[in-house]
Amino acid sequence: VHLPHPIAQHFLEKGWMIVSPQRRGRGWSEGLYDEGFLKDRSRYSGEPQVTLAGFDRALADIDAAVRVLLARADVDARQVIIGGHSRGGMLSLAYAARYSGRVRGVLNFVGGWLSTWHETFSAVHQTIAADAAKSDTPTLWLYGGKDQLYGISDIRPFFDAFENAGGVGEFVSFPDAGHGLMGETTRWRQPVDHFMQELGFREFAT
C-alpha cells in the first residue's frame, strides 16, 4: 500500500485537504524545468540575475496552482497554509510576502535556493530573506545540523536578517537531522502542531 508522505499523512489525520503541485518540469509536471541553470543546463547557476529569474519563474508556477486551489468550492480560502521542502520551503516564504493575504502561515522545511558551494550563496539568500520579510504572515523554519546542502549555521543568519527586517517567524533546529527532515514526523510534530495551534487550529492540540 502506498501511503502519503509523512507531512501529508499528518495533516490528513487532522482532517485537512492536502495539495502537492509540481512546478514546471518537476515530478510528473509537463514543461521545461528552468529555475536558473547555466547555459548548458549542466547545473544551477550561481549568478544572481540568472538564479533569481528562475526563482521568480517558480513563484509564478506556485501562484498558478494556488489560484486554481482557491477557486475550488471545497476550499476555505481563509484557512490556507503553504509549505515546502528545500527550494519549495524558500519559495513558500517568498510567496506569502509577494501575495500578501493569500495564506495564513508558512511551513519551511530546510528551505534554500542554492547550496553553500555557490559563491553567491549568501548574496542570493540575503535578497530572498529581505523580500520575504515584507510579509506579516507567521512562518516556521525547520532545519537540520547535518544537512549536506546547508546547515543550521549557514541558514540562521538569514532568519535573523528576516526577523530584524520585520518578518514574523520561529526558527527550530534539529542538530542530528539532515535534508530529509520533512520525512521524520517524530522530530517536527511538536513544533508544527504548536505552530498550527498558535494560528488557531484546535485540531492540532495534543
Side-chain angles (χ1 to χ4, degrees), residues 27-64:
W28 296 331
S29 181
E30 297 178 350
L32 177 67
Y33 180 49
D34 193 21
E35 295 181 2
F37 286 98
L38 295 174
K39 289 184 178 180
D40 64 4
R41 296 184 60 83
S42 61
R43 60 183 174 85
Y44 289 130
S45 170
E47 171 59 41
Q49 184 175 359
V50 175
T51 195
L52 290 173
F55 189 84
D56 287 342
R57 185 181 195 271
L59 279 177
D61 287 357
I62 292 173
D63 184 49

Side-chain angles (χ1 to χ4, degrees), residues 17 44 78 87 97 109 113 150 160 162 169 181:
M17 174 190 290
Y44 289 130
R78 301 164 299 176
R87 283 196 158 195
F109 284 90
W113 194 248
Y150 31 74
D160 293 341
F162 164 85
L181 173 62

Side-chain angles (χ1 to χ4, degrees), residues 55 59 84-95 108-113 125 128-129 132 141 143 150 155 158:
F55 189 84
L59 279 177
H85 165 261
S86 196
R87 283 196 158 195
M90 198 58 64
L91 286 164
S92 295
L93 293 169
Y95 185 84
N108 166 26
F109 284 90
V110 299
W113 194 248
H125 285 87
I128 294 172
W141 301 44
Y143 286 85
Y150 31 74
I155 293 292
F158 306 120

Side-chain angles (χ1 to χ4, degrees), residues 12-188:
L12 288 170
E13 290 172 356
K14 304 295 184 181
W16 278 60
M17 174 190 290
I18 301 298
V19 179
S20 182
Q22 298 292 318
R23 305 190 302 278
R24 277 173 285 182
R26 294 177 63 97
W28 296 331
S29 181
E30 297 178 350
L32 177 67
Y33 180 49
D34 193 21
E35 295 181 2
F37 286 98
L38 295 174
K39 289 184 178 180
D40 64 4
R41 296 184 60 83
S42 61
R43 60 183 174 85
Y44 289 130
S45 170
E47 171 59 41
Q49 184 175 359
V50 175
T51 195
L52 290 173
F55 189 84
D56 287 342
R57 185 181 195 271
L59 279 177
D61 287 357
I62 292 173
D63 184 49
V66 172
R67 284 188 283 107
V68 170
L69 176 66
L70 295 179
R72 291 177 58 115
D74 55 353
V75 169
D76 185 343
R78 301 164 299 176
Q79 310 288 2
V80 176
I81 301 294
I82 191 170
H85 165 261
S86 196
R87 283 196 158 195
M90 198 58 64
L91 286 164
S92 295
L93 293 169
Y95 185 84
R98 189 165 299 188
Y99 299 92
S100 180
R102 290 271 183 92
V103 299
R104 285 279 305 279
V106 178
L107 294 174
N108 166 26
F109 284 90
V110 299
W113 194 248
L114 296 175
S115 53
T116 53
W117 57 77
H118 285 94
E119 292 182 359
T120 56
F121 171 80
S122 292
V124 167
H125 285 87
Q126 285 170 359
T127 297
I128 294 172
D131 288 343
K134 296 174 183 177
S135 170
D136 60 0
T137 302
T139 66
L140 179 63
W141 301 44
L142 304 126
Y143 286 85
K146 294 185 177 180
D147 194 314
Q148 68 274 28
L149 300 180
Y150 31 74
I152 296 167
S153 61
D154 299 311
I155 293 292
R156 182 68 201 223
F158 306 120
F159 172 79
D160 293 341
F162 164 85
E163 198 170 40
N164 290 336
V168 180
E170 179 182 1
F171 191 97
V172 180
S173 60
F174 304 88
D176 295 329
H179 203 61
L181 173 62
M182 193 168 72
E184 302 177 40
T185 311
T186 56
R187 293 186 188 271
W188 52 253

